[in-house]
Amino acid sequence: MKHFSYKVAVLLGAAAVAASCGNMKQIKHQPYPETGRGDVVDNYFGTEVPDPYRWLEDDNSEATAAWVAAENAVTQDYLSQIPFRGAIRERLTELWNYAKESAPRRHGDWWYYTYNDGLQNQSVIYRTKNPGEAGEVFLDPNKLSDDGTVALAAMSFSKDGRWFAYSAAASGSDWVVIRVMDTADKSLAADKIEWVKFSGARWAPDSKGFYYSAYDAPKQNAYSSKNEFQKVYYHALGTPQSADKLVYEDREHPLRYFSAWPSEDGKWLFVVASEGTSGTEVLYKRVSDPKFRVLLPGFEADYSPVDCKDDRLYYVTNKDASNYALMKVDLNRPGMIETVIPESEKNLLEDVGTGGGYLFASYLENAQNRVRQYTYDGKPVRTVDLPAIGTVGGFGGKDEDTEFYYTLANYTAPATIYKYDIASGESKLYKAPEVNFDPSLFVTEQVFYTSKDGTKVPMFITRRKDMKRDGKNPCLLYAYGGFQINLTPGFNPSALMFVEQGGVYCVANLRGGSEYGEEWHKAGMLENKQNVFDDFIAAAEYLIAEKYTSTDKLAIHGGSNGGLLVGACEVQRPDLYAVCLPAVGVMDMLRYHKFTIGWGWAVEYGSSENEEQFSYIYKYSPLHNIKEGVKYPATLVTTADHDDRVVPAHSFKFAATMQHAQAGDAPILIRIDSKAGHGAGKPTSKRIDEAADMYAFLFQNIGVPYREIEN
């Protein structure tokens, strides 16, 4: 096969690409595996709910393993017949193959940064004495495994820069092992901390040890059994884990998370507690005191520590401030709370960084970043003049810094690194990646559409400039809608490939995120969750009404909570889309809390063990609203065997039920990856393979072949 010629392809124009819809090869899938239906029935407050595929929850059983192999065989047979699958993978590989570098950060006498030469499975940590000069390899995660499936989940340096701790995750699992390196000679220390989840190493100010959060070793399946009683420990360098000091535990509340946060001056120690994915409590004590006390009581609001200076804790909160504010509390007189940066009337205070003796407040204005610099007493210094519109990261450094580096990215530009002068506020280009495409041919616009209840919802639309709004364009609609997660502009090589082909890539900022503050989040959680699905459905209807696309060219995609979104919208409006792509989704809303850390999502969703909450969860649970005799869109469910966040049983049961119920001819397939998890740390090779399969399935089922242009 000859290589794709990008220059020739772009000259064809979007209309020519989108018009090449004829002569599509029709593909039939093999018969679905025969999936036994059991007679399990649960009674929820008088409502009997069958669960015929309960047996698929046992991911260690031979029967489940046989079913997984059989389903994968059907899926791979189907995908292998798509004639342009290889060409898609080739173009994705070209687009992915560009040098990716993080902003450098100073620790001790070195500046550290990550670098990926293009297709490395995991990015490599480098260091240099002076930014801009050639660096040396400090740690190559690709050497931690033979196939790139061990990734770094977290990393931190001791205050003196002498020690480096990293958390290694295998095969995409949330479980990590913490190891320590001596930065002087890059040697690996004997220290090894196991059974850690949702925690890295938080170094004590004296650099002699670190705090971490861990669970007791699981007595049953480590990848699906429920996690309870997280504890905070202190590890002294050079000692075994068995000697680690228990810093904090709560025997009365097994379903809480705890994380330590020491002050830089070594005087105070804080523990941030949470009962789930939102709502926190802050405990505190002098390091020399025996017991913790409650400083900021939970769990009705969020409190996020920023800095501790002069016995005052600076923290970001949404208590009485839907758009968040920066506050400070006097630790010697905890009733003395003052506002440092007040809540903005219109824009979300997303984050506050520190550096050079200043505060840097990152705001979201219609889902795009703005940054403002303040003094510690809350006086505005300047609004930072950003080089472009997009998403920024890295605003902050050490107290003594006079400059630091940050990144800026959007839908048509990968993360570009700039150097920021703290005194002058000037940004200078440090490094810009080079990607094999011409960004001048594309445009991103932001539109606002009306949801079912009249709410205005923003959406980013990325397309070719020469696209015609004639209703014939392939369209991929993506969203998340939950857990205060904000979707801001970012570069996605897969989406860019789709847009090259004349596709329209859309990202909707649904309620459930916090793009417009905590009220926006609350409007999409618990009893209001249906608003999220209404927002997504309205986005699809808008794209059709405005002739960006049509029902037979529209695909929807989302992962995790976004997989729930796609599943719910698919069963509610199967007539609206041609293709549905739910990834690692929460599909069984009645039993999600019974696995690993699923209980932590009850603050967002509610629980089937509560009668009132069951009544609204049951109405939208994707698994329980599939109806026999309905013609469902072509569906490719994706999950992975080591996903211990949203266990694969969700996707297994959803796919089996959809296959059983499907009345139409569109395929219902499931792709189950091996040695992979929920998504974080997934090797580049696996990301490309999965994207190639997803887009091949998409193009095939909207009747638009991927067009490869030969030189």
Side-chain angles (χ1 to χ4, degrees):
M1 179 183 295
K2 293 183 179 180
H3 286 286
F4 181 95
S5 173
Y6 177 71
K7 290 183 179 179
V8 176
V10 295
L11 292 174
L12 289 176
V17 174
S20 59
C21 304
N23 303 317
M24 280 287 285
K25 177 184 177 182
Q26 298 301 309
I27 298 174
K28 289 190 177 283
H29 60 80
Q30 294 178 352
Y32 300 127
E34 295 209 6
T35 309
R37 292 172 61 84
D39 56 5
V40 176
V41 177
D42 294 315
N43 189 301
Y44 294 90
F45 311 102
T47 299
E48 292 193 339
V49 180
D51 193 2
Y53 301 117
R54 177 73 59 83
W55 61 274
L56 285 171
E57 290 181 358
D58 185 357
D59 52 8
N60 280 333
S61 74
E62 292 184 4
T64 300
W67 182 86
V68 167
E71 288 284 355
N72 266 342
V74 172
T75 299
Q76 291 304 320
D77 175 75
Y78 180 92
L79 294 172
S80 68
Q81 297 180 62
I82 300 176
F84 41 79
R85 181 192 188 191
I88 290 177
R89 180 182 288 106
E90 187 174 352
R91 181 57 182 151
L92 284 174
T93 301
E94 290 178 355
L95 285 170
W96 232 290
N97 191 12
Y98 68 93
K100 307 164 189 70
E101 188 170 326
S102 71
R105 286 287 179 266
R106 183 172 58 84
H107 301 283
D109 296 329
W110 295 87
W111 290 80
Y112 292 82
Y113 59 97
T114 62
Y115 180 81
N116 190 310
D117 62 16
L119 297 176
Q120 289 173 287
N121 278 321
Q122 305 293 340
S123 294
V124 179
I125 302 175
Y126 283 79
R127 67 181 183 180
T128 181
K129 290 288 187 178
N130 298 296
E133 294 182 358
E136 65 180 38
V137 173
F138 176 67
L139 174 62
D140 185 355
N142 296 288
K143 295 182 178 179
L144 299 178
S145 62
D146 294 333
D147 54 6
T149 56
V150 171
L152 300 188
M155 49 189 174
S156 60
F157 289 86
S158 60
K159 188 175 181 178
D160 62 7
R162 172 68 188 276
W163 302 100
F164 171 74
Y166 66 86
S167 305
S171 300
S173 172
D174 281 333
W175 290 114
V176 300
V177 176
I178 299 177
R179 300 303 306 267
V180 178
M181 291 175 61
D182 186 337
T183 63
D185 58 7
K186 298 187 275 190
S187 62
L188 186 67
D191 305 71
K192 184 179 182 181
I193 311 297
E194 298 181 297
W195 301 117
V196 177
K197 182 177 280 194
F198 306 124
S199 173
R202 174 77 71 167
W203 287 91
D206 62 7
S207 301
K208 294 179 180 180
F210 56 80
Y211 300 91
Y212 67 93
S213 304
Y215 291 93
D216 293 336
K219 296 178 181 179
Q220 298 177 335
N221 188 341
Y223 296 109
S224 60
S225 58
K226 195 173 185 178
N227 302 137
E228 298 179 316
F229 296 108
Q230 190 181 46
K231 304 177 182 70
V232 177
Y233 294 91
Y234 172 79
H235 173 75
L237 286 176
T239 64
Q241 184 174 3
S242 59
D244 288 354
K245 178 184 176 182
L246 177 63
V247 173
Y248 187 81
E249 68 173 334
D250 185 341
R251 301 302 301 175
E252 296 181 2
H253 300 95
L255 305 183
R256 284 184 181 175
Y257 305 106
F258 300 101
S259 59
W261 197 88
S263 64
E264 287 288 316
D265 60 12
K267 291 175 59 176
W268 301 91
L269 180 61
F270 304 88
V271 166
V272 180
S274 174
E275 291 186 332
T277 50
S278 62
T280 58
E281 179 172 85
V282 179
L283 312 173
Y284 79 121
K285 73 181 185 74
R286 290 182 180 272
V287 171
S288 57
D289 290 345
K291 291 185 178 181
F292 284 91
R293 293 173 291 164
V294 174
L295 177 65
L296 301 169
F299 291 88
E300 297 301 317
D302 294 295
Y303 305 99
S304 180
V306 171
D307 201 357
C308 186
K309 281 182 177 295
D310 302 322
D311 293 345
R312 287 166 175 79
L313 177 70
Y314 292 74
Y315 62 95
V316 173
T317 183
N318 56 16
K319 180 176 174 57
D320 301 323
S322 177
N323 281 332
Y324 291 78
L326 180 70
M327 313 293 289
K328 67 178 177 182
V329 56
D330 188 329
L331 299 175
N332 297 309
R333 295 182 296 169
M336 297 291 292
I337 298 177
E338 299 177 62
T339 300
V340 181
I341 301 177
E343 176 188 16
S344 167
E345 183 178 341
K346 295 182 179 180
N347 301 323
L348 172 74
L349 177 59
E350 190 176 34
D351 185 40
V352 176
T354 65
Y358 291 94
L359 301 168
F360 295 90
S362 295
Y363 289 89
L364 271 190
E365 183 178 322
N366 291 329
Q368 302 171 54
N369 277 138
R370 300 286 186 268
V371 179
R372 298 188 181 99
Q373 185 174 341
Y374 292 87
T375 62
Y376 265 81
D377 57 6
K379 293 181 180 178
V381 176
R382 65 174 61 88
T383 296
V384 177
D385 185 14
L386 295 174
I389 291 175
T391 301
V392 299
F395 260 88
K398 300 181 185 300
D399 275 350
E400 62 270 23
D401 286 347
T402 58
E403 60 187 23
F404 56 74
Y405 297 80
Y406 69 91
T407 59
L408 193 152
N410 55 42
Y411 289 112
T412 57
T416 300
I417 306 171
Y418 295 88
K419 182 168 70 172
Y420 182 76
D421 184 278
I422 296 174
S424 69
E426 183 182 8
S427 293
K428 288 185 178 180
L429 177 65
Y430 173 66
K431 284 188 180 179
E434 296 182 4
V435 186
N436 183 22
F437 80 105
D438 182 356
S440 68
L441 299 169
F442 308 98
V443 64
T444 297
E445 56 188 332
Q446 187 178 44
V447 301
F448 293 83
Y449 64 91
T450 305
S451 191
K452 183 178 181 179
D453 64 356
T455 300
K456 292 291 185 181
V457 182
M459 176 165 55
F460 292 105
I461 299 176
T462 302
R463 56 177 177 79
R464 295 174 60 114
K465 288 181 178 177
D466 59 0
M467 183 209 77
K468 293 182 178 179
R469 281 166 55 177
D470 57 9
K472 298 178 181 179
N473 304 297
C475 184
L476 179 59
L477 173 60
Y478 177 87
Y480 187 81
F483 296 98
Q484 301 172 309
I485 300 297
N486 304 319
L487 296 185
T488 56
F491 185 72
N492 181 339
S494 302
L496 187 64
M497 179 277 298
F498 181 71
V499 175
E500 278 183 348
Q501 292 287 309
V504 184
Y505 180 68
C506 308
V507 177
N509 297 106
L510 315 180
R511 282 174 283 185
S514 60
E515 284 90 344
Y516 294 102
E518 184 60 13
E519 292 306 314
W520 192 254
H521 171 225
K522 289 180 177 178
M525 63 184 288
L526 295 173
E527 72 275 11
N528 298 321
K529 188 65 177 177
Q530 183 59 42
N531 287 337
V532 182
F533 312 135
D534 291 341
D535 289 355
F536 200 54
I537 290 168
E541 292 174 334
Y542 172 89
L543 292 166
I544 293 168
E546 295 297 318
K547 296 188 181 301
Y548 285 95
T549 191
S550 56
T551 293
D552 61 352
K553 295 289 184 288
L554 175 60
I556 56 175
H557 176 44
S560 193
N561 176 73
L564 156 65
L565 170 71
V566 171
C569 291
E570 175 172 14
V571 299
Q572 289 185 20
R573 287 294 306 275
D575 60 305
L576 195 54
Y577 336 96
V579 176
C580 296
L581 303 163
V584 294
V586 187
M587 301 304 197
D588 184 346
M589 295 302 301
L590 303 186
R591 289 177 57 78
Y592 74 84
H593 59 290
K594 295 181 178 292
F595 304 97
T596 63
I597 48 82
W599 51 263
W601 314 331
V603 297
E604 182 84 7
Y605 296 141
S607 168
S608 61
E609 295 180 14
N610 176 295
E611 184 172 4
E612 179 185 357
Q613 294 174 342
F614 163 77
S615 67
Y616 57 72
I617 292 172
Y618 187 46
K619 290 178 182 178
Y620 72 75
S621 177
L623 178 66
H624 301 99
N625 285 278
I626 299 169
K627 297 179 176 60
E628 293 188 32
V630 172
K631 292 182 178 180
Y632 288 104
T635 303
L636 179 63
V637 181
T638 52
T639 187
D641 61 354
H642 279 67
D643 189 343
D644 49 6
R645 180 134 4 136
V646 180
V647 294
H650 284 277
S651 295
F652 293 174
K653 292 163 69 174
F654 182 78
T657 306
M658 287 286 286
Q659 289 175 350
H660 174 78
Q662 175 68 305
D665 296 327
I668 307 291
L669 304 178
I670 180 169
R671 183 187 188 277
I672 305 153
D673 208 349
S674 61
K675 295 191 74 175
H678 198 60
K682 183 176 288 187
T684 299
S685 57
K686 282 185 174 291
R687 291 182 184 275
I688 292 174
D689 286 346
E690 183 177 43
D693 288 351
M694 187 187 91
Y695 280 96
F697 183 87
L698 190 167
F699 282 120
Q700 177 67 33
N701 285 283
I702 61 173
V704 178
Y706 176 90
R707 186 176 179 87
E708 183 186 17
I709 310 300
E710 295 186 353
N711 288 315

